[in-house]
Amino acid sequence: MFFIYNAFVFLVSKILNIVALCNPKINLFVKGRTVVFKTLEQKIQSNDPTIWFHAASLGEYEQGLPVMEAVKATYPDHKIVLSFFSPSGYEVRKNNSVADATVYLPLDSAQNAKKFLDLVRPEFVFFIKYEYWPNYLNELKKRHIQTYLISGIFRKNQAFFKWYGGFYRKALDAFTYFFVQNESSKKRLLTLGKTNVAVSGDTRFDRVATLLEKNNTLDFIASFKNNALTIVIGSSWPKDENIWVEYINHCPDNVKFIIAPHNIKKDAIAELKTSIQRKTVLFSEKEGKNLAAYNVLLVDTIGLLTKIYSYADIAYVGGGFGNPGVHNILEPATFGVPVLIGPNYAHFAEAVALVNLGGCKSILNLKELQKVVDDLLLNTAYRSETGHICNTFVTMNKGATAIIMKNIDTTHL
C-alpha cells in the first residue's frame, strides 16, 4: 500500500509543478517548499533540542498557539519548529514570534519525511486537530518519537472508520496520545482499539479567552464607530455579502457596519463597495478622512479582525453559506457579542453548541436576518443577555491547554 501511496504523492508533485505556472496560490505552495531543508539547516543546529508542531493552515495555527506558547515557556531551551501545509497559513504567520523556524511541510514522500526528521530531530511532535501523513507518521514511529494529536476531532465519514481505511488506521499507531475535543471522537477511537485517548476539549477556547487580556485598541475604529451601534461582518464571502448589502442599504443611519471580507483583492473590494448605497470608506483610504461621517467601513487588509470584533455590538461570521462552513465564531463570542452565522455550521461543534444555547443565531435568508438583527438592535437587554451567553460559553470551556501540558510525557526532557 505504501508503494501505491508514494507513487500517488510523486504524481501529485509533478502535477503541482505544472499547475503552479498559472496558479499563484499553488506557486506559493510549490516554491515555498524548495527552501525548507535549507532553512532548517540554517536555523536548527545539530545540538539544538527541538519540538515540532504541525498545522494544516491558519485556523489550526491559532488552535495550537496556546499549547505552543505553554511548551515554549516550559522548555525555553528547546527550539520550536512550526510547519504549515497550506499557503493561507504559512504566508500569514511565517513571521510569528513563537517558533524558531517556520516552514512549509514538504510533501509526504518517504524521502522527504526522513530528511525532514533528520534535520529537525524533534523530541516531541504535536499535530494540531488533523492531517495524518502516513510517511511522516511511519518515520516518527520508527524513531520512537513521542507524537501527540491536540484538539483532535474524529467523524464517522473519515477514512479511518471505513472498510477501506486500514492503511490510514495503521498510521494512527504512531501517536503516543490523542487529546480530542469531545466524547464522540473518543468513542470513535475506542472502536479502533485506541485507548490512549483523553477528552481535553478545544484549545481554541484558551486562545480566544486570552484576547480579553490584550490591548485591542484601534483608534481608527473608535473614530469610525463614534459611539454608534456597530455591526461587524467578518470573514464574509459573496453569498454572505449579498444578503448583508441588501440589509445595509435599507438600514437606519444610526447603525454602522464594518465589513472585513475573506477576499480582499482590489476587484472584489471595488465590486462590494459599488453595491453599497451608504457612505462607505476603505481602510486603505482612511487617512485624512472624517471617519465618523461614514456609515460603512470596508477593511481591505488582514490581521485586524480580532481586534475589530471588540468594538462590535453584533457580529456576523461568514462562510456559513458555503462549504465546509462557517469561520471562527469564538473570536467575537469571547468579547460578549451576539453572533450571527449562515446555515452551514453542523461540522463545527462550538457553533452547534452556541446555537443551542441561544448565543449564536443562524440565518437562512434576508427575511430571517432582518428579524434577528432588528430584535437585537431594538432590545438592549436581549442583546446584552445574548452576548453574555457567548462570553460565558467561552469561559466555561477553557482549560484544554492545561490538560494537555499536565499529561504529556516529559520525563526525558
Side-chain angles (χ1 to χ4, degrees):
M1 188 62 186
F2 262 107
F3 175 80
I4 297 174
Y5 176 78
N6 286 327
F8 175 74
V9 171
F10 177 79
L11 177 62
V12 168
S13 69
K14 298 303 180 185
I15 294 173
L16 288 173
N17 287 334
I18 297 171
V19 176
L21 298 174
C22 56
N23 186 305
K25 186 172 182 178
I26 298 300
N27 184 55
L28 289 172
F29 181 96
V30 172
K31 188 176 180 181
R33 282 169 166 78
T34 62
V35 297
V36 171
F37 298 132
K38 182 179 180 180
T39 300
L40 291 174
E41 288 171 353
Q42 292 173 342
K43 295 191 174 184
I44 306 298
Q45 306 305 312
S46 59
N47 61 339
D48 287 333
T50 63
I51 299 173
W52 171 31
F53 284 84
H54 175 67
S57 191
L58 182 59
E60 289 70 43
Y61 166 81
E62 297 291 345
Q63 196 161 31
L65 188 56
V67 179
M68 282 186 264
E69 291 174 337
V71 166
K72 189 177 182 71
T74 306
Y75 309 109
D77 295 331
H78 285 66
K79 285 192 172 180
I80 304 295
V81 175
L82 170 64
S83 63
F84 285 97
F85 183 77
S86 166
S88 59
Y90 176 81
E91 297 300 330
V92 175
R93 290 291 182 260
K94 59 186 175 184
N95 296 318
N96 69 85
S97 60
V98 70
D100 298 282
T102 301
V103 296
Y104 279 100
L105 182 70
L107 290 180
D108 186 37
S109 69
Q111 181 180 3
N112 282 344
K114 290 176 182 177
K115 188 170 184 179
F116 185 90
L117 291 175
D118 283 344
L119 291 170
V120 176
R121 300 177 306 282
E123 295 183 30
F124 266 54
V125 178
F126 295 89
F127 282 72
I128 304 166
K129 190 175 180 179
Y130 53 60
E131 286 214 331
Y132 309 95
W133 299 112
N135 280 308
Y136 281 99
L137 290 173
N138 184 54
E139 196 63 28
L140 287 167
K141 184 182 177 183
K142 285 182 180 178
R143 301 183 187 208
H144 304 288
I145 297 172
Q146 294 182 59
T147 304
Y148 298 92
L149 180 70
I150 58 176
S151 289
I153 192 160
F154 290 87
R155 300 187 178 95
K156 63 181 180 181
N157 61 346
Q158 290 173 302
F160 312 114
F161 310 105
K162 304 293 185 180
W163 63 268
Y164 53 81
F167 176 65
Y168 286 99
R169 286 194 290 272
K170 187 68 175 175
L172 295 180
D173 292 344
F175 286 99
T176 307
Y177 218 82
F178 300 88
F179 295 100
V180 296
Q181 292 187 28
N182 51 41
E183 284 290 342
S184 61
S185 293
K186 179 179 180 179
K187 289 177 181 177
R188 290 191 177 100
L189 283 172
L190 289 174
T191 66
L192 303 182
K194 305 297 181 186
T195 57
N196 51 334
V197 53
V199 178
S200 61
D202 190 343
T203 51
R204 282 184 303 167
F205 288 97
D206 297 332
R207 168 62 175 154
V208 299
T210 64
L211 297 177
L212 297 176
E213 303 167 6
K214 300 181 182 299
N215 180 3
N216 295 298
T217 303
L218 293 171
D219 291 339
F220 75 94
I221 295 291
S223 297
F224 169 78
K225 181 179 174 72
N226 196 30
N227 297 318
L229 285 170
T230 301
I231 299 175
V232 175
I233 302 164
S235 303
S236 59
W237 292 76
K239 287 184 179 179
D240 303 299
E241 293 155 4
N242 289 341
I243 293 177
W244 271 105
V245 166
E246 185 68 22
Y247 182 85
I248 291 170
N249 287 341
H250 297 90
C251 190
D253 288 337
N254 65 333
V255 181
K256 295 199 170 191
F257 299 86
I258 302 173
I259 308 176
H262 181 80
N263 181 3
I264 59 170
K265 292 182 179 178
K266 286 187 177 181
D267 55 346
I269 292 292
E271 183 178 351
L272 178 56
K273 183 180 179 183
T274 301
S275 68
I276 299 172
Q277 298 170 11
R278 311 295 297 280
K279 194 172 182 182
T280 303
V281 61
L282 303 185
F283 167 85
S284 60
E285 299 174 353
K286 71 181 187 304
E287 298 304 325
K289 291 184 170 62
N290 178 16
L291 296 178
Y294 290 87
N295 304 107
V296 182
L297 171 62
L298 279 182
V299 184
D300 53 345
T301 188
I302 60 174
L304 297 177
L305 182 55
T306 298
K307 290 188 175 184
I308 291 173
Y309 278 137
S310 72
Y311 288 86
D313 294 289
I314 299 170
Y316 176 89
V317 179
F321 283 92
N323 289 310
V326 68
H327 290 278
N328 188 357
I329 68 168
L330 297 180
E331 289 182 347
T334 197
F335 291 109
V337 178
V339 179
L340 280 63
I341 58 175
N344 296 345
Y345 64 90
H347 285 300
F348 302 88
E350 72 282 2
V352 173
L354 201 47
V355 167
N356 290 337
L357 289 170
C360 181
K361 311 291 182 181
S362 173
I363 58 99
L364 186 60
N365 50 43
L366 176 61
K367 183 178 180 181
E368 291 186 4
L369 177 69
Q370 289 173 324
K371 176 66 169 64
V372 172
V373 176
D374 288 350
D375 286 347
L376 288 168
L377 289 174
L378 294 173
N379 190 330
T380 303
Y382 174 54
R383 186 172 68 247
S384 177
E385 177 58 27
T386 305
H388 179 69
I389 292 171
C390 290
N391 173 260
T392 301
F393 175 69
V394 172
T395 302
M396 295 298 291
N397 283 281
K398 292 190 302 180
T401 301
I403 293 173
I404 292 167
M405 293 301 296
K406 182 179 178 180
N407 288 281
I408 61 173
D409 182 1
T410 59
T411 54
H412 75 295
L413 286 180

